[in-house]
Protein backbone atom coordinates (compact mmCIF):
# COMPACT_ATOMS: atom_id res chain seq x y z
CA UNK A 1 0.00 0.00 0.00
CA UNK A 2 1.14 3.51 -0.76
CA UNK A 3 1.59 5.94 2.07
CA UNK A 4 4.15 6.72 4.72
CA UNK A 5 6.86 4.03 4.55
CA UNK A 6 7.40 1.92 7.66
CA UNK A 7 10.72 0.96 9.13
CA UNK A 8 11.76 -2.51 10.25
CA UNK A 9 9.84 -3.89 13.21
CA UNK A 10 9.25 -7.01 15.30
CA UNK A 11 5.68 -8.29 15.55
CA UNK A 12 5.32 -8.40 19.34
CA UNK A 13 1.59 -9.18 19.24
CA UNK A 14 2.14 -12.35 17.21
CA UNK A 15 5.03 -13.45 19.40
CA UNK A 16 2.93 -13.07 22.55
CA UNK A 17 0.17 -15.17 20.98
CA UNK A 18 2.61 -17.85 19.75
CA UNK A 19 4.24 -18.18 23.18
CA UNK A 20 0.84 -18.10 24.94
CA UNK A 21 2.06 -15.33 27.24
CA UNK A 22 -0.45 -13.71 29.64
CA UNK A 23 -2.34 -10.67 28.42
CA UNK A 24 -4.78 -8.31 30.08
CA UNK A 25 -4.75 -7.09 33.67
CA UNK A 26 -1.86 -9.28 34.87
CA UNK A 27 -0.14 -9.62 31.53
CA UNK A 28 0.85 -7.70 28.44
CA UNK A 29 -1.43 -5.03 27.02
CA UNK A 30 -3.53 -5.98 24.02
CA UNK A 31 -3.19 -5.36 21.24
CA UNK A 32 0.53 -5.11 21.91
CA UNK A 33 2.24 -2.58 19.58
CA UNK A 34 5.00 -3.52 17.18
CA UNK A 35 8.59 -2.91 18.17
CA UNK A 36 10.18 -0.66 15.57
CA UNK A 37 13.94 -1.08 15.44
CA UNK A 38 14.80 0.84 12.25
CA UNK A 39 13.47 4.00 10.69
CA UNK A 40 12.50 3.98 6.98
CA UNK A 41 15.91 5.49 6.18
CA UNK A 42 17.64 2.59 7.94
CA UNK A 43 18.78 4.49 11.03
CA UNK A 44 18.36 2.76 14.38
CA UNK A 45 15.86 3.71 17.05
CA UNK A 46 16.64 4.08 20.75
CA UNK A 47 14.84 0.88 21.75
CA UNK A 48 16.94 -1.11 19.29
CA UNK A 49 20.13 0.25 20.84
CA UNK A 50 18.72 -0.51 24.29
CA UNK A 51 18.19 -4.15 23.27
CA UNK A 52 21.82 -4.46 22.16
CA UNK A 53 23.01 -2.89 25.40
CA UNK A 54 20.73 -5.20 27.41
CA UNK A 55 22.29 -8.27 25.81
CA UNK A 56 25.71 -6.98 26.79
CA UNK A 57 24.60 -6.40 30.40
CA UNK A 58 22.88 -9.79 30.62
CA UNK A 59 26.01 -11.64 29.51
CA UNK A 60 28.09 -9.96 32.20
CA UNK A 61 25.74 -10.48 35.15
CA UNK A 62 23.52 -13.12 36.75
CA UNK A 63 20.72 -10.59 37.24
CA UNK A 64 20.18 -7.11 35.83
CA UNK A 65 17.75 -4.63 37.40
CA UNK A 66 16.90 -1.62 35.23
CA UNK A 67 15.75 1.09 37.65
CA UNK A 68 13.66 3.27 35.36
CA UNK A 69 10.51 5.35 35.93
CA UNK A 70 7.09 3.90 35.12
CA UNK A 71 6.77 6.07 32.00
CA UNK A 72 9.12 3.53 30.36
CA UNK A 73 7.08 0.42 31.29
CA UNK A 74 6.03 -0.33 27.71
CA UNK A 75 9.47 0.34 26.25
CA UNK A 76 11.08 -1.97 28.83
CA UNK A 77 8.52 -4.71 28.09
CA UNK A 78 9.45 -4.46 24.42
CA UNK A 79 13.14 -4.81 25.26
CA UNK A 80 12.48 -7.88 27.43
CA UNK A 81 10.27 -9.51 24.77
CA UNK A 82 12.86 -8.87 22.09
CA UNK A 83 15.51 -10.55 24.20
CA UNK A 84 13.14 -13.48 24.71
CA UNK A 85 12.60 -13.75 20.95
CA UNK A 86 16.31 -13.78 20.20
CA UNK A 87 17.53 -15.88 23.12
CA UNK A 88 14.96 -17.67 25.35
CA UNK A 89 17.75 -18.56 27.80
CA UNK A 90 17.85 -14.93 28.92
CA UNK A 91 14.26 -14.90 30.19
CA UNK A 92 14.32 -13.60 33.78
CA UNK A 93 17.92 -12.40 33.50
CA UNK A 94 16.86 -8.76 33.25
CA UNK A 95 14.06 -7.03 35.17
CA UNK A 96 12.60 -3.57 34.92
CA UNK A 97 12.42 -2.20 38.47
CA UNK A 98 9.70 0.35 37.80
CA UNK A 99 9.11 3.27 40.14
CA UNK A 100 6.71 6.17 40.33
CA UNK A 101 7.78 9.78 40.59
CA UNK A 102 7.39 11.83 43.75
CA UNK A 103 4.44 14.17 43.37
CA UNK A 104 4.33 17.84 44.15
CA UNK A 105 1.18 19.33 45.65
CA UNK A 106 0.69 21.14 42.35
CA UNK A 107 1.18 17.95 40.33
CA UNK A 108 3.88 15.40 39.59
CA UNK A 109 7.40 16.27 38.51
CA UNK A 110 7.95 17.03 34.85
CA UNK A 111 11.26 17.61 33.14
CA UNK A 112 9.64 19.21 30.11
CA UNK A 113 7.67 21.66 32.23
CA UNK A 114 10.56 22.40 34.56
CA UNK A 115 8.86 21.06 37.71
CA UNK A 116 11.33 19.34 40.00
CA UNK A 117 11.41 18.35 43.65
CA UNK A 118 15.09 18.39 44.53
CA UNK A 119 16.26 16.25 47.44
CA UNK A 120 18.14 19.22 48.91
CA UNK A 121 15.01 21.39 48.88
CA UNK A 122 12.95 18.64 50.50
CA UNK A 123 15.64 18.11 53.14
CA UNK A 124 15.64 21.83 53.99
CA UNK A 125 11.86 21.81 54.45
CA UNK A 126 12.00 18.67 56.59
CA UNK A 127 14.81 19.98 58.77
CA UNK A 128 13.03 23.27 59.33
CA UNK A 129 9.93 21.44 60.55
CA UNK A 130 11.93 18.95 62.66
CA UNK A 131 13.85 21.80 64.31
CA UNK A 132 10.58 23.55 65.11
CA UNK A 133 9.00 20.45 66.68
CA UNK A 134 12.08 19.30 68.58
CA UNK A 135 12.81 22.84 69.74
CA UNK A 136 9.30 23.08 71.15
CA UNK A 137 9.77 19.77 73.01
CA UNK A 138 13.05 20.91 74.60
CA UNK A 139 11.52 24.27 75.51
CA UNK A 140 8.51 22.54 77.08
CA UNK A 141 10.82 20.47 79.28
CA UNK A 142 12.91 23.52 80.11
CA UNK A 143 16.10 22.01 78.66
CA UNK A 144 18.93 24.02 77.17
CA UNK A 145 20.50 22.10 74.30
CA UNK A 146 23.93 22.71 72.82
CA UNK A 147 23.38 24.26 69.36
CA UNK A 148 25.90 21.97 67.67
CA UNK A 149 24.30 18.87 69.21
CA UNK A 150 20.83 20.14 68.27
CA UNK A 151 21.91 20.68 64.66
CA UNK A 152 23.45 17.21 64.48
CA UNK A 153 20.35 15.48 65.89
CA UNK A 154 17.91 17.38 63.70
CA UNK A 155 20.06 16.55 60.67
CA UNK A 156 19.89 12.82 61.44
CA UNK A 157 16.14 12.92 62.10
CA UNK A 158 15.44 14.92 58.93
CA UNK A 159 17.51 12.57 56.77
CA UNK A 160 15.80 9.56 58.30
CA UNK A 161 12.39 11.12 57.71
CA UNK A 162 13.11 11.52 54.02
CA UNK A 163 14.48 8.00 53.62
CA UNK A 164 11.65 6.35 55.52
CA UNK A 165 8.97 8.23 53.59
CA UNK A 166 10.46 6.90 50.33
CA UNK A 167 11.29 3.35 51.46
CA UNK A 168 8.03 2.72 53.32
CA UNK A 169 6.04 2.88 50.07
CA UNK A 170 5.98 0.46 47.17
CA UNK A 171 8.05 1.51 44.16
CA UNK A 172 4.87 1.54 42.07
CA UNK A 173 3.06 3.94 44.44
CA UNK A 174 3.14 7.65 43.75
CA UNK A 175 4.38 9.58 46.77
CA UNK A 176 2.97 12.96 47.73
CA UNK A 177 5.12 14.41 50.47
CA UNK A 178 3.22 15.75 53.47
CA UNK A 179 5.84 17.50 55.60
CA UNK A 180 3.66 17.51 58.72
CA UNK A 181 2.95 13.75 58.50
CA UNK A 182 6.50 12.76 57.59
CA UNK A 183 7.84 14.58 60.67
CA UNK A 184 5.09 13.49 63.08
CA UNK A 185 6.61 12.11 66.31
CA UNK A 186 3.38 10.28 67.15
CA UNK A 187 2.59 8.60 63.83
CA UNK A 188 4.17 6.03 61.50
CA UNK A 189 7.27 8.01 60.58
CA UNK A 190 11.04 7.96 61.02
CA UNK A 191 10.91 10.44 63.97
CA UNK A 192 8.36 8.17 65.67
CA UNK A 193 10.58 5.09 65.15
CA UNK A 194 13.73 6.89 66.30
CA UNK A 195 11.98 8.29 69.37
CA UNK A 196 10.70 4.88 70.44
CA UNK A 197 14.03 3.22 69.63
CA UNK A 198 15.68 5.70 71.98
CA UNK A 199 13.16 4.91 74.70
CA UNK A 200 13.70 1.17 74.21
CA UNK A 201 17.46 1.62 74.32
CA UNK A 202 17.07 3.51 77.61
CA UNK A 203 15.02 0.65 79.07
CA UNK A 204 17.64 -1.90 78.02
CA UNK A 205 20.47 0.22 79.48
CA UNK A 206 18.61 0.52 82.78
CA UNK A 207 18.07 -3.25 82.85
CA UNK A 208 21.76 -3.90 82.12
CA UNK A 209 22.63 -1.54 84.98
CA UNK A 210 20.37 -3.47 87.37
CA UNK A 211 21.98 -6.75 86.27
CA UNK A 212 25.46 -5.32 86.79
CA UNK A 213 24.52 -4.15 90.30
CA UNK A 214 23.12 -7.64 91.07
CA UNK A 215 19.62 -6.25 91.71
CA UNK A 216 18.06 -8.48 89.04
CA UNK A 217 19.14 -11.65 87.22
CA UNK A 218 20.40 -11.57 83.65
CA UNK A 219 18.18 -12.97 80.90
CA UNK A 220 18.84 -16.68 80.28
CA UNK A 221 20.09 -18.13 77.01
CA UNK A 222 17.26 -19.10 74.67
CA UNK A 223 18.24 -22.78 74.99
CA UNK A 224 17.57 -22.58 78.74
CA UNK A 225 14.04 -21.15 78.45
CA UNK A 226 11.22 -23.33 79.75
CA UNK A 227 8.54 -22.72 77.09
CA UNK A 228 5.96 -24.61 79.13
CA UNK A 229 5.74 -21.58 81.39
CA UNK A 230 4.09 -19.65 78.58
CA UNK A 231 0.50 -20.45 79.49
CA UNK A 232 -1.15 -17.23 78.31
CA UNK A 233 -2.70 -16.94 74.84
CA UNK A 234 -1.46 -13.35 74.64
CA UNK A 235 2.12 -14.46 75.29
CA UNK A 236 1.98 -17.02 72.47
CA UNK A 237 0.40 -14.51 70.08
CA UNK A 238 3.19 -12.02 70.78
CA UNK A 239 5.81 -14.73 70.30
CA UNK A 240 4.37 -16.02 67.01
CA UNK A 241 3.48 -12.68 65.48
CA UNK A 242 6.41 -10.48 66.47
CA UNK A 243 9.39 -12.65 67.42
CA UNK A 244 9.52 -15.90 65.45
CA UNK A 245 8.49 -14.20 62.21
CA UNK A 246 11.10 -11.43 62.50
CA UNK A 247 14.07 -13.24 60.81
CA UNK A 248 11.99 -14.26 57.78
CA UNK A 249 10.52 -10.76 57.58
CA UNK A 250 14.00 -9.25 57.31
CA UNK A 251 15.11 -11.89 54.80
CA UNK A 252 12.08 -11.41 52.54
CA UNK A 253 12.44 -7.64 52.67
CA UNK A 254 16.10 -7.83 51.66
CA UNK A 255 15.73 -10.54 48.99
CA UNK A 256 12.15 -10.68 47.70
CA UNK A 257 11.20 -13.31 45.15
CA UNK A 258 11.15 -11.94 41.61
CA UNK A 259 7.82 -12.32 39.79
CA UNK A 260 7.34 -13.69 36.30
CA UNK A 261 7.38 -11.01 33.58
CA UNK A 262 5.61 -8.78 32.64
CA UNK A 263 4.87 -8.29 36.38
CA UNK A 264 7.56 -6.01 37.80
CA UNK A 265 9.34 -6.56 41.15
Amino acid sequence: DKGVPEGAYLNMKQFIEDQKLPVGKKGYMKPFPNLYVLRPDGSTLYTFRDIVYSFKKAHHADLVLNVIASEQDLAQQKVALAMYMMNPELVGRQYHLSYEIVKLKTGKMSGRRGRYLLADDLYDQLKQEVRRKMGAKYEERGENVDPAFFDEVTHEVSTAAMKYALLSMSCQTQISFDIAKVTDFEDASAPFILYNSTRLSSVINKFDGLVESKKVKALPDISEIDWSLLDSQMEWEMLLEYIWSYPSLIRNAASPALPKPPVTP
Side-chain angles (χ1 to χ4, degrees):
D1 295 337
K2 292 183 179 181
V4 180
E6 286 191 299
Y9 66 86
L10 300 176
N11 191 330
M12 300 278 96
K13 176 177 176 293
Q14 190 61 52
F15 179 73
I16 290 173
E17 291 178 358
D18 293 342
Q19 298 300 318
K20 296 181 173 57
L21 299 177
V23 295
K25 187 175 181 180
K26 293 187 178 181
Y28 296 99
M29 65 180 295
K30 62 177 187 177
F32 200 91
N34 293 325
L35 168 57
Y36 285 87
V37 293
L38 296 176
R39 296 186 179 91
D41 62 3
S43 59
T44 60
L45 290 165
Y46 174 80
T47 308
F48 173 78
R49 297 192 292 273
D50 197 7
I51 294 170
V52 176
Y53 182 46
S54 294
F55 270 111
K56 181 178 180 179
K57 291 188 292 184
H59 281 99
H60 286 83
D62 296 323
L63 177 65
V64 177
L65 293 177
N66 284 340
V67 184
I68 305 174
S70 59
E71 282 90 344
Q72 295 295 317
D73 283 354
L74 180 58
Q76 287 297 304
Q77 286 184 7
K78 289 181 176 180
V79 170
L81 284 171
M83 294 177 70
Y84 184 7
M85 293 174 70
M86 300 177 197
N87 188 349
E89 294 182 359
L90 293 181
V91 173
R93 184 76 64 85
Q94 176 171 289
Y95 273 92
H96 172 210
L97 187 57
S98 176
Y99 68 90
E100 287 289 347
I101 296 176
V102 177
K103 293 179 63 179
L104 301 169
K105 289 186 177 180
T106 54
K108 70 178 182 179
M109 291 193 293
S110 172
R112 293 180 180 178
R113 298 179 182 178
R115 290 203 302 255
Y116 290 100
L117 180 62
L118 299 178
D120 288 342
D121 295 336
L122 178 60
Y123 166 80
D124 290 338
Q125 294 180 44
L126 287 170
K127 189 171 183 180
Q128 183 179 357
E129 184 66 9
V130 168
R131 289 178 66 90
R132 185 187 69 80
K133 290 182 177 180
M134 291 188 66
K137 285 181 177 292
Y138 284 125
E139 185 177 350
E140 184 181 337
R141 294 197 296 261
E143 297 182 21
N144 293 320
V145 185
D146 178 68
F149 173 77
F150 184 70
D151 189 66
E152 180 182 354
V153 171
T154 53
H155 162 70
E156 295 294 341
V157 174
S158 303
T159 304
M162 183 191 299
K163 292 179 179 179
Y164 182 81
L166 293 171
L167 296 175
S168 63
M169 304 293 289
S170 167
C171 294
Q172 288 81 23
T173 302
Q174 285 191 346
I175 299 175
S176 181
F177 262 92
D178 184 338
I179 300 297
K181 185 175 182 180
V182 170
T183 58
D184 193 341
F185 282 79
E186 298 180 1
D187 200 356
S189 66
F192 174 80
I193 295 173
L194 291 173
Y195 176 68
N196 283 280
S197 297
T198 302
R199 293 180 63 187
L200 179 60
S201 178
S202 176
V203 171
I204 293 174
N205 289 336
K206 287 181 180 179
F207 176 79
D208 289 341
L210 292 173
V211 172
E212 189 174 347
S213 62
K214 309 296 184 182
K215 293 182 179 179
V216 298
K217 293 182 178 179
L219 294 176
D221 186 82
I222 192 170
S223 61
E224 301 174 3
I225 295 177
D226 184 359
W227 298 103
S228 65
L229 297 177
L230 294 178
D231 54 4
S232 167
Q233 180 67 21
M234 184 179 294
E235 291 175 332
W236 279 106
E237 288 178 356
M238 291 177 61
L239 185 66
L240 293 172
E241 186 171 354
Y242 298 108
I243 299 178
W244 282 350
S245 61
Y246 188 71
S248 60
L249 181 67
I250 297 298
R251 182 178 62 252
N252 293 336
S255 303
L258 294 172
K260 189 174 182 180
V263 178
T264 54

